[in-house]
Amino acid sequence: QVHLTESGGGRVQPGGSLTLACTASGLRFRDYAVGWFRQAPGKEREYVARISGNGEFTYYADSVKDHFTIARNNEKNTVFLQMNFLYPEDSAVYYCAARNGQSSNYAPAYQFWGQGTQVTVSS
């Protein structure tokens, strides 16, 4: 059974940083691309960033590309999302998702999802 677990969320002041982690089990991790998505109250789920299975290719939404970094450690079955210079509009529940094959910015393309971790940016 496949499980994805997000961690690292919390409350941070504007301009601060957080690093989220997504740890997977039950799958051959290197075969799976991973994406991060987020959903704020009253809004649709939004694509944030994605990374290929071998970590060679990374892509970002325009809104975060200058201050978020995605990376992975396949030996630890973990993908990280380093978030710097956080703004209140970055507040959301952040989800990681995995799909077998190429990464995608299309949420329905992902087969497995975590439960999410809350990020709140507020003074």
Side-chain angles (χ1 to χ4, degrees):
Q1 192 170 6
V2 176
H3 289 285
L4 300 179
T5 304
E6 301 95 339
S7 61
R11 179 180 294 273
V12 64
Q13 292 190 342
S17 299
L18 283 175
T19 299
L20 305 184
C22 171
T23 302
S25 62
L27 49 71
R28 183 181 164 93
F29 192 59
R30 68 173 66 89
D31 291 342
Y32 285 75
V34 173
W36 283 96
F37 295 79
R38 65 186 181 186
Q39 189 167 19
K43 294 187 177 181
E44 294 186 354
R45 191 166 295 192
E46 174 189 26
Y47 159 71
V48 175
R50 55 195 167 105
I51 188 167
S52 60
N54 63 5
E56 183 175 358
F57 301 103
T58 59
Y59 306 91
Y60 300 90
D62 288 343
S63 59
V64 306
K65 66 181 179 180
D66 293 330
H67 60 118
F68 285 14
T69 302
I70 189 170
R72 67 190 293 158
N73 182 333
N74 283 346
E75 291 187 359
K76 296 186 177 181
N77 283 13
T78 300
V79 169
F80 302 95
L81 186 68
Q82 172 70 42
M83 306 186 296
N84 298 321
F85 305 109
L86 286 162
Y87 305 108
E89 52 264 39
D90 294 314
S91 297
V93 177
Y94 282 71
Y95 300 89
C96 67
R99 72 182 303 266
N100 194 318
Q102 291 186 332
S103 68
S104 173
N105 61 359
Y106 184 56
Y110 288 82
Q111 297 146 313
F112 305 107
W113 288 81
Q115 293 300 306
T117 185
Q118 176 71 50
V119 172
T120 302
V121 185
S122 174
S123 56

